[in-house]
Amino acid sequence: MKALIVSDFKSPPRWSDFAEPSADTGERLIRVTAAGLSNLARIQASGVHYASPKEVPFVAGIDGVGRLDDGSRVYFFAGRRPFGAFAERCVAPADLCVPVPDDLDDVTAAALANPAMSSWAALVQRAGLRAGETVLINGATGASGRLAVTIARHLGAGRVIVTGRDAAALDLLLGLGADEAISLTQEPDALAASLERVIERDRVTVVLDYVWGASASLILGAVERLGRRHAAGQDPIRFVQIGSISGQTIMLPAAVLRSTTLELMGSGLGSVPDRDLVADIGEALKVATKLGLTVDVSPVPMADGEEAWTRGGSGRERVVFTLS
């Protein structure tokens, strides 16, 4: 079969011949029709992600949409290396496949799966969001953050506060249901004051962090300053780390943990079981049309994947590799 093959962690995958997969017990053979080029798929293929394969060659891609032998459409999460989603055919564990609703086409489902899962899993599996709680979404102007506003509302958030650097995108988020937007372009002292104000006033109990770096440090600093005053009679603040486009590391003073009820955690591969991540994607796909969950999509024939990989894309546009 043809596939996008990683032969060198320093080079883009190339469209070439690869061994045909066959399904073992408990697996399903899938004819791939669409597979999203997510940031996670890129990083895994570069060899630097904690879940990257250790040996080459292997087929790139972690998830996609396709058809089983009986013709039914499924979203799947590729489970057995060296096979991956960017191929004509793939194998996946049966429990890592969920139906694609009839009201979603293959490309849309593949594009939505990863960004929708990022907030759905964080809110359900990690934060345990309860109805009426206030959610602060840090770095909400990308595709995943934008979906997170609608998903948080759907899952019961009482108020949603967003941060970001793009003023036009922040205005859009207010139109999608966010209650307040905070610009990350402010001077650090002003930004810290704004964050402290909303955390205390709106009794923020859940933070979804898509960026890490300086803004995450300021949020944690605000939590520390509020300390026992904020914690009195209130649920702990659950800070869920999802993405790190603003930096891989931060300074974390010990007092943040000692003087507050903060619960600091991550959400992603390893912190949430694969089957739970896939189940959350299935739930998100079921309501995607009803909620108006959309992302900007750029369909690209999988045979042209190497060129698309090199070209890259915007933070709001999802490249989806397609196969007829």
Side-chain angles (χ1 to χ4, degrees):
M1 68 171 184
K2 292 290 187 180
L4 284 171
I5 303 168
V6 177
S7 299
D8 177 352
F9 286 127
K10 296 181 180 180
S11 303
R14 292 189 174 181
W15 185 246
S16 187
D17 294 315
F18 200 79
E20 186 88 19
S22 60
D24 289 342
T25 302
E27 292 183 327
R28 297 291 183 266
L29 181 64
I30 299 153
R31 179 170 62 84
V32 181
T33 55
L37 178 55
S38 63
N39 287 334
L40 177 57
R42 283 181 178 277
I43 297 170
Q44 277 202 353
S46 72
V48 300
H49 192 268
Y50 61 83
S52 293
K54 304 304 180 186
E55 298 180 356
V56 295
F58 62 88
V59 178
I62 59 171
D63 64 345
V65 172
R67 283 165 174 75
L68 302 178
D69 289 340
D70 63 6
S72 59
R73 294 192 309 147
V74 296
Y75 164 83
F76 67 92
F77 190 89
R80 176 161 58 89
R81 293 298 185 182
F83 304 108
F86 297 159
E88 293 177 318
R89 284 168 292 283
C90 185
V91 288
D95 61 356
L96 298 186
C97 300
V98 292
V100 174
D102 292 339
D103 58 6
L104 278 184
D105 62 85
D106 293 358
V107 171
T108 301
L112 279 173
N114 191 272
M117 173 274 291
S118 70
S119 57
W120 198 293
L123 291 167
V124 173
Q125 305 294 341
R126 303 298 283 156
L129 178 69
R130 292 182 281 275
E133 289 190 290
T134 297
V135 177
L136 170 61
I137 305 173
N138 187 38
T141 54
S144 297
R146 190 180 72 212
L147 294 177
V149 173
T150 303
I151 289 171
R153 285 293 196 193
H154 172 71
L155 293 175
R159 286 179 62 79
V160 177
I161 314 298
V162 295
T163 76
R165 303 186 66 85
D166 185 326
L170 289 175
D171 287 341
L172 175 63
L173 294 175
L174 292 172
L176 291 175
D179 295 286
E180 184 169 344
I182 297 173
S183 173
L184 295 179
T185 63
Q186 301 176 67
E187 291 298 319
D189 288 347
L191 177 55
S194 296
L195 292 167
E196 186 171 333
R197 173 180 56 82
V198 297
I199 291 171
E200 182 172 33
R201 183 198 66 195
D202 295 316
R203 300 179 71 83
V204 171
T205 49
V206 175
V207 178
L208 301 187
D209 174 61
Y210 280 96
V211 293
W212 206 226
S215 60
S217 294
L218 290 175
I219 292 172
L220 293 170
V223 172
E224 179 190 0
R225 287 190 298 277
L226 291 169
R228 294 176 61 188
R229 176 159 53 96
H230 177 74
Q234 182 174 324
D235 290 332
I237 293 179
R238 287 96 75 201
F239 186 111
V240 188
Q241 211 294 304
I242 303 170
S244 52
I245 61 173
S246 290
Q248 295 294 322
T249 60
I250 65 169
M251 294 293 292
L252 179 63
V256 174
L257 302 178
R258 292 202 311 269
S259 64
T260 72
T261 58
L262 175 75
E263 297 177 1
L264 183 59
M265 66 194 84
S267 184
L269 296 178
S271 58
V272 180
D274 290 349
R275 67 179 62 190
D276 290 338
L277 292 177
V278 172
D280 288 336
I281 289 170
E283 293 301 310
L285 295 181
K286 286 179 186 177
V287 298
T289 299
K290 173 185 174 183
L291 297 182
L293 300 180
T294 60
V295 294
D296 295 332
V297 181
S298 175
V300 173
M302 196 175 290
D304 298 332
E306 181 180 357
E307 190 274 333
W309 199 288
T310 303
R311 183 177 68 247
S314 73
R316 299 186 189 94
E317 181 181 72
R318 294 279 158 166
V319 172
V320 174
F321 294 140
T322 60
L323 286 163
S324 58

